[in-house]
Amino acid sequence: MDLLSHFLTMLKIESTSISSWHLSEPWGVHVRDYRPGFCFIVTEGRFVVEAATGQVLHLAKGDTLLAPRGGECRLLSRLGVATTDLSELNWSEPRSPRLDRSVQPGSAISVVHGGGGELCRLLGLAFSIQSGQGAFVLAGLPDFIVLRDGDASILSQIRPAIEALLADDKPGYYAVAKHMAELIVVGLLRSYILTDQSFSPGWMKGLQDPYICKALLAIHEVPERKWSVALLAAAANLSRSTFAARFCRLIGQSPIDYLNAWRISLAAERLRGGTDSVAHIASAVGYQSDRVFRQAFRERMSMSPRQYRNQQI
């Protein structure tokens, strides 16, 4: 398996909600600290996104906005218009668009909002990604990703299926919607990574380097090995000093820090979905000492392995 496929297969959709938005000028929606990821596909008209950081993004028909970790922003027909909170919109069903792992909706939801002017239609998708490996991948992504019309050819192929789901309330809807969400998110991220070359330091930038890519593949294929900087440099066919400097510049952290972060992500996945002892998991992901593992886990996750496992129940 190539390294990009390896990263993308870590993304497992835990829950999802699909929605249809009919918005008419003037309109504004305030998305307050929405933590599941979300995306909007513009099927008609245009709109503006104003991020909490002040970043402004303009989208038109055929464009897609992806917020892989969610966050706060304003969706606007134009800059300066008044906004309504997402939770206060007139949804087609008396349930929130926020996700709940215990709820499996039997149909899509829709909203009509605005002042009756120029129309903007959006296909909306909210999704949560399983923690552990999925969180590791998401951490390397920007807050907001915009794909322009034509950047993600997969969308043109599956958009009819998405639109069909909007009118589907038959048994089995949620199973189809969940798999569709995974296809959309993975397809969008793949298109973004293959078309954008201006990544910040992180695993995506490492994918572009033929030497660092080899070291990343070694770490991800055999994380339990007793890796050293020298061994990883050999895997990358570089001298130790050249490799260490190159890795830090492209990935944004040292090889050993990256290795430990990946091991903790694997451990979190095992704690979340299994019954193995903490000591067994520590050994399986490459820690020679249970004490060192517990300390590393607490430093990265801000809680002990046992607390993390109990939180997932």
Side-chain angles (χ1 to χ4, degrees):
M1 182 188 299
D2 65 271
L3 192 55
L4 178 55
S5 292
H6 170 77
F7 278 107
L8 294 179
T9 53
M10 296 182 209
L11 299 175
K12 304 296 184 185
I13 296 292
E14 190 169 57
S15 55
T16 187
S17 174
I18 295 176
S19 54
S20 174
W21 298 57
H22 295 256
L23 307 161
S24 56
E25 167 77 26
W27 61 270
V29 177
H30 192 175
V31 181
R32 294 182 185 272
D33 197 26
Y34 192 88
R35 279 306 153 195
F38 59 85
C39 80
F40 290 105
I41 304 166
V42 188
T43 59
E44 183 177 346
R46 61 185 66 244
F47 76 104
V48 181
V49 180
E50 186 176 20
T53 59
Q55 180 186 20
V56 175
L57 303 166
H58 295 266
L59 289 92
K61 182 178 179 179
D63 295 343
T64 300
L65 172 74
L66 176 63
R69 294 182 302 276
E72 181 173 0
C73 65
R74 287 177 170 83
L75 312 176
L76 310 165
S77 58
R78 65 177 187 275
L79 290 174
V81 298
T83 60
T84 301
D85 277 6
L86 176 70
S87 60
E88 296 175 2
L89 296 179
N90 185 25
W91 294 96
S92 59
E93 292 189 18
R95 59 182 169 88
S96 168
R98 291 187 178 275
L99 298 184
D100 183 338
R101 279 186 293 179
S102 65
V103 176
Q104 297 183 357
S107 64
I109 55 177
S110 62
V111 64
V112 178
H113 180 65
E118 182 180 353
L119 183 64
C120 176
R121 292 181 63 240
L122 308 174
L123 292 177
L125 173 69
F127 57 90
S128 60
I129 301 289
Q130 289 181 5
S131 58
Q133 296 181 52
F136 182 91
V137 174
L138 294 182
L141 299 172
D143 293 336
F144 295 100
I145 296 170
V146 174
L147 291 105
R148 299 301 177 187
D149 187 17
D151 285 348
S153 58
I154 190 172
L155 279 182
S156 63
Q157 305 297 319
I158 64 175
R159 187 174 296 164
I162 303 170
E163 292 178 337
L165 274 179
L166 295 175
D168 189 342
D169 60 357
K170 297 180 177 63
Y173 161 84
Y174 185 74
V176 175
K178 187 175 177 182
H179 286 291
M180 184 72 72
E182 200 160 278
L183 175 61
I184 293 169
V185 173
V186 170
L188 289 175
L189 287 176
R190 177 175 180 262
S191 296
Y192 164 67
I193 292 167
L194 292 177
T195 57
D196 196 312
Q197 303 298 312
S198 57
F199 302 127
S200 299
W203 62 263
M204 288 185 295
K205 204 168 187 67
L207 289 177
Q208 299 173 326
D209 186 275
Y211 298 101
I212 298 305
C213 188
K214 292 177 182 177
L216 291 176
L217 190 59
I219 288 172
H220 283 264
E221 284 188 336
V222 199
E224 69 276 11
R225 184 175 178 182
K226 195 174 181 180
W227 289 110
S228 64
V229 176
L231 285 174
L232 289 170
N237 296 322
L238 292 172
S239 70
R240 186 186 185 284
S241 58
T242 299
F243 167 74
R246 193 183 190 111
F247 194 100
C248 288
R249 176 170 55 84
L250 294 175
I251 305 300
Q253 57 186 319
S254 73
I256 300 305
D257 284 344
Y258 181 92
L259 170 64
N260 284 329
W262 174 234
R263 285 173 169 172
I264 295 301
S265 296
L266 291 175
E269 191 100 340
R270 287 172 175 249
L271 287 165
R272 185 179 184 279
T275 58
D276 290 339
S277 69
V278 171
H280 178 82
I281 291 173
S283 176
V285 300
Y287 284 91
Q288 307 302 309
S289 163
D290 180 32
R291 180 185 60 80
V292 172
F293 166 71
R294 291 174 186 273
Q295 180 180 346
F297 193 95
R298 183 179 289 277
E299 287 177 357
R300 184 162 182 84
M301 307 298 286
S302 300
M303 64 182 75
S304 71
R306 185 178 299 278
Q307 288 171 326
Y308 181 85
R309 169 172 274 169
N310 291 338
Q311 191 181 76
Q312 308 306 309
I313 298 175

